[in-house]
Amino acid sequence: VGMGAPEAAVPVLDVICREVRIEGCFRYRDTYPRCLELLAAGKVPVRKLITHRYGFTDDDTMAAFDACRTGFGADGRAAIKCIINIADESEVEE
């Protein structure tokens, strides 16, 4: 969030291999209402974006942050969205 530097190096090979789309947005104008509209309409499969789930322990929390930092979980799969469950396991819905 923020303007950042006027120029930045982009790892193009990573962008291509991970099939990432980079899009700029100035001041987030009208971004959130459209996102909420898509979510409410069920047009974004958000559950599929959660690739890794972690417990609320020291080791699991560190593993979650490491997966987010590196882009890969300990299982070798790409980490898109990591969730740390702080609720009691019986309260977590799938």
Side-chain angles (χ1 to χ4, degrees):
V1 176
M3 293 300 287
E7 293 184 18
V10 177
V12 176
L13 184 59
D14 286 342
V15 170
I16 293 168
C17 292
R18 294 177 67 190
E19 298 181 0
V20 175
R21 187 173 99 187
I22 300 173
E23 184 174 324
C25 180
F26 186 67
R27 296 188 185 164
Y28 305 102
R29 184 175 182 267
D30 299 324
T31 300
Y32 295 112
R34 178 69 177 140
C35 291
L36 293 174
E37 178 184 306
L38 291 170
L39 290 170
K43 294 186 177 185
V44 179
V46 292
R47 289 195 185 275
K48 290 183 179 180
L49 297 177
I50 301 171
T51 56
H52 294 78
R53 294 179 183 271
Y54 297 89
F56 193 52
T57 66
D58 288 343
D59 289 341
D60 280 354
T61 301
M62 292 307 294
F65 279 101
D66 193 50
C68 291
R69 181 182 61 79
T70 63
F72 294 94
D75 58 5
R77 293 184 305 127
I80 297 173
K81 183 72 171 181
C82 300
I83 298 293
I84 299 173
N85 294 321
I86 59 171
D88 183 303
E89 289 299 317
S90 64
E91 299 174 19
V92 177
E93 68 178 68
E94 284 296 317

